[in-house]
Amino acid sequence: MNIVEISAEFAPIIKVGGLADVVHGLSMELVKRGQDVTVILPFFPWIKKKIPHVRNTKKTIVTCEKNQWHNNSIWEVIQDQVHLIFIEDHHPDRYFSRENIYGYQDDIARFLYFSKVAMDFLLNEKKTIDVLHLHDWHTAICPILYKDILQSHNMTVKKIAFTVHNFQHQGKCSQQNLRNIGLDAKKYLNKELLQDESSDDLELLNLLKGAIVYSDVVTTVSKSYAQEVVQKEGAFGLEKVVKDNKGKLFGIVNGLDYEEWNPEKDTHLKGHFSPRNTEKELHEAKLVNKQNLQSELGLAPDSMKPMFISIGRLVWQKGPELIKEAISYIINSGGQFVLCGSSPEKDTQKKFDELKKMYNSNKNIHFHFDYNEPLARKMFAGADFIIIPSKFEPCGLTQLIAMRYATIPIVRKTGGLADTVFDVDDKNVPEKARNGYVFEKDDASELFESLKRAFNDFKNNKTKHIAYKNLELDHSWTEPAKEYLALFALKN
Ligand code: ADP
């Protein structure tokens, strides 16, 4: 099949979170299974540094926005047989000549523009596309551009699949935003199409809603999350359109790229291991990693203390309040704690800055308020436990990476966390599948109860075997890619 992915992120080149890992990992697996995969991405100025062999094709795509024509250069590179296409805009607002991927007040205009150029590029290529696979609100206008405009210009896409990685971010916009890219905005201000139904502003449009209505297949990133988004809290106001389109909604849990996340070969680690090691060998290697992490971060060199970590964006979704509660519990109970992540929410970041100050002289805790993949890898490998107390979690990748690196997850039972982590004490689950600590309520007392059990099991030497057993679990892309291919092959 000729599969085209359009995405804002692709690991490790353009990455903010799990979206990047997923588009990268899925593309690799699809190629391995004989598919022809092209991924279209925005070109940022720093791309050339990250992939020096990226090539300017000298092709130019001319796109109209606000009645002005703009040139866009097309760059390309083949990475592990995946064809990457980058769109470099020469728009006067320099939409993608920026440091960050998101976070600008014109994000809507930037990604509508990117999507339009991507579709104009595909139109220009004149190739039949078997599957156009789109991701999140950033590319949500593409199905609309195809079905309402480009299809009648002899462009052929046999199937449009849309994956929602997070229902919280929907791309709410004005009619003017659509007019700017040449769409008849009035037509879309209709309950059956793009009109936003969750706010009092009846003039508002919702791009994610449009993608759900217009795509042939809609997927989200775990089975539990696919059920949660039929409810008001889960869908952030899109529950009606999700229900109306339930027949084409499927939950496919994310996989993990087992080449990219491989503790046997990870060059950032001092101690390497794989499921072929014995339990004793695994724990010798884990200990080397723990000691290395402690020494790099200036933590007390005490391997008898359980090491807890948190890696991720410090946003409301990830339960920052519970992370704070967990920190004080862990430190008061004699554990160590390392956090890697920062918050785009000023108030939240301020609270964590204060916490860092409070623990300034404590040798059992370290905060790193930045994105740092080498550090994250050392943390995954050196820790005993990772805490993920999310309010909601469409899939979550950090629990999967942690298990691959023999670190035990402590999670709230929601979305993909509920689908991939099963409590070590849950007698309703086969012993083989019990791989972590799970609490249900978004509440500190349940979290503390899980932490207490984790501390006890660590002290009684029970956690070593759980971590070892988890190495055998398969969270690779093998099964999820099969599910995607089955959906891609379904008749519309
Ligand atoms: P989300 O997509 O909601 O951010 P996921 O758990 O699905 O959360 O994926 C997060 C990805 O980003 C993982 O690969 C994780 O290791 C990585 N990540 C998040 N924050 C950081 C950070 N501060 N430094 C390094 N990697 C990070």
Side-chain angles (χ1 to χ4, degrees):
M1 273 193 276
N2 172 15
I3 301 170
V4 175
E5 312 266 343
I6 309 181
S7 168
E9 299 184 36
F10 189 83
I13 315 161
I14 311 174
K15 175 165 166 178
V16 171
L19 170 63
D21 296 279
V22 172
V23 180
H24 174 263
L26 176 61
S27 302
M28 295 293 171
E29 186 68 30
L30 291 175
V31 163
K32 254 198 237 159
R33 291 172 177 272
Q35 311 302 325
D36 184 347
V37 182
T38 301
V39 185
I40 305 183
L41 299 156
F43 184 93
F44 291 89
W46 33 264
I47 298 273
K48 271 189 272 182
K49 248 191 238 149
K50 292 200 178 180
I51 353 176
H53 52 294
V54 66
R55 188 180 76 86
N56 189 333
T57 62
K58 306 281 185 248
K59 280 184 202 166
T60 299
I61 297 296
V62 187
T63 289
C64 188
E65 190 224 38
K66 296 185 206 156
N67 296 322
Q68 305 265 334
W69 291 92
H70 305 287
N71 285 342
N72 304 277
S73 306
I74 304 298
W75 296 71
E76 71 173 352
V77 71
I78 308 240
Q79 280 212 322
D80 301 318
Q81 294 182 58
V82 179
H83 189 180
L84 304 185
I85 295 285
F86 295 93
I87 291 171
E88 180 186 20
D89 73 273
H90 300 293
H91 191 283
D93 289 344
R94 318 285 293 162
Y95 280 151
F96 291 91
S97 295
R98 304 190 188 176
E99 192 51 33
N100 297 322
I101 300 165
Y102 319 113
Y104 301 98
Q105 48 83 21
D106 59 350
D107 276 357
I108 294 276
R110 294 170 69 224
F111 283 100
L112 283 175
Y113 183 82
F114 163 68
S115 299
K116 183 157 195 284
V117 185
M119 294 304 283
D120 286 345
F121 166 78
L122 292 173
L123 174 72
N124 198 53
E125 291 290 284
K126 298 191 176 68
K127 275 192 207 150
T128 296
I129 297 167
D130 293 310
V131 180
L132 180 62
H133 188 194
L134 306 161
H135 302 269
D136 275 352
W137 74 265
H138 324 114
T139 60
I141 200 67
C142 296
I144 296 148
L145 287 172
Y146 174 69
K147 292 206 171 153
D148 285 353
I149 298 180
L150 300 171
Q151 198 169 19
S152 60
H153 284 63
N154 277 340
M155 181 173 175
T156 310
V157 175
K158 292 192 186 154
K159 170 165 265 163
I160 298 188
F162 190 90
T163 298
V164 189
H165 296 258
N166 192 326
F167 273 81
Q168 192 179 12
H169 310 296
Q170 300 179 356
K172 294 187 185 184
C173 65
S174 68
Q175 292 180 66
Q176 189 56 45
N177 286 121
L178 291 208
R179 261 184 237 117
N180 290 345
I181 57 161
L183 288 169
D184 171 10
K186 263 253 150 331
K187 164 179 163 185
Y188 299 103
L189 192 70
N190 172 325
K191 280 203 170 138
E192 301 305 313
L193 299 177
L194 271 71
Q195 186 173 28
D196 186 64
E197 291 179 82
S198 66
S199 85
D200 297 334
D201 183 353
L202 297 176
E203 295 288 306
L204 212 56
L205 297 169
N206 186 316
L207 297 176
L208 195 61
K209 176 177 174 184
I212 294 169
V213 172
Y214 272 77
S215 299
D216 303 312
V217 174
V218 178
T219 72
T220 190
V221 290
S222 67
K223 301 219 178 333
S224 288
Y225 193 56
Q227 286 165 5
E228 289 168 16
V229 296
V230 181
Q231 313 294 331
K232 193 168 188 321
E233 315 80 60
F236 291 92
L238 285 181
E239 57 282 358
K240 182 169 181 308
V241 69
V242 173
K243 263 189 214 145
D244 291 349
N245 287 278
K246 201 143 192 308
K248 62 179 182 190
L249 176 74
F250 300 85
I252 304 179
V253 72
N254 286 333
L256 192 65
D257 184 336
Y258 268 29
E259 284 300 307
E260 196 59 39
W261 297 102
N262 184 352
E264 196 177 8
K265 294 188 187 150
D266 193 325
T267 52
H268 295 97
L269 314 192
K270 283 257 193 305
H272 294 97
F273 52 88
S274 81
R276 291 190 308 281
N277 287 118
T278 61
E279 191 172 323
K280 187 166 172 283
E281 286 165 344
L282 164 70
H283 288 289
E284 282 162 4
K286 284 282 287 181
L287 189 62
V288 170
N289 292 323
K290 188 175 191 173
Q291 287 166 341
N292 180 49
L293 186 65
Q294 287 171 328
S295 109
E296 276 199 18
L297 301 180
L299 293 169
D302 184 348
S303 58
M304 298 309 282
K305 282 182 183 291
M307 161 90 73
F308 296 76
I309 57 168
S310 165
I311 297 173
R313 301 172 298 121
L314 290 172
V315 291
W316 177 85
Q317 173 196 338
K318 304 286 177 184
E321 289 304 322
L322 283 192
I323 295 177
K324 278 177 56 193
E325 297 278 4
I327 292 172
S328 60
Y329 186 98
I330 291 163
I331 298 301
N332 292 337
S333 311
Q336 288 192 332
F337 180 83
V338 182
L339 179 143
C340 179
S342 64
S343 185
E345 299 162 5
K346 279 208 177 80
D347 283 355
T348 309
Q349 185 59 53
K350 201 166 151 231
K351 284 184 191 157
F352 277 87
D353 287 337
E354 282 161 10
L355 208 61
K356 183 175 177 168
K357 249 193 230 149
M358 195 179 109
Y359 284 113
N360 201 14
S361 56
N362 192 317
K363 289 270 180 227
N364 289 313
I365 188 161
H366 182 89
F367 295 91
H368 183 87
F369 294 133
D370 203 356
Y371 182 90
N372 185 332
E373 188 167 319
L375 174 62
R377 286 175 180 271
K378 290 173 194 168
M379 289 166 64
F380 282 123
D384 299 296
F385 303 98
I386 184 166
I387 54 159
I388 316 175
S390 304
K391 288 192 185 295
F392 75 97
E393 195 60 74
C395 178
L397 288 180
T398 54
Q399 80 279 17
L400 304 184
I401 304 171
M403 288 190 272
R404 176 101 167 125
Y405 282 61
T407 289
I408 302 171
I410 301 176
V411 308
R412 188 163 163 256
K413 190 173 183 177
T414 178
L417 297 172
D419 290 0
T420 56
V421 184
F422 304 95
D423 198 280
V424 293
D425 294 321
D426 186 348
K427 302 281 183 298
N428 298 317
V429 175
E431 210 271 331
K432 213 170 78 181
R434 296 182 215 158
N435 52 359
Y437 297 84
V438 181
F439 62 97
E440 289 203 18
K441 278 207 200 121
D442 182 10
D443 151 326
S445 61
E446 288 209 5
L447 163 70
F448 292 162
E449 195 271 334
S450 294
L451 289 171
K452 187 173 169 195
R453 288 188 292 129
F455 265 97
N456 278 339
D457 290 350
F458 181 85
K459 206 167 100 199
N460 299 329
N461 250 331
K462 279 194 197 158
T463 48
K464 281 191 174 160
H465 186 62
I466 301 167
Y468 182 62
K469 204 181 60 171
N470 287 357
L471 283 188
E472 294 283 348
L473 299 172
D474 181 7
H475 290 116
S476 71
W477 271 105
T478 311
E479 287 307 314
K482 280 189 204 160
E483 289 186 52
Y484 272 104
L485 282 175
L487 275 189
F488 291 171
L490 273 184
K491 287 255 173 308
N492 284 337

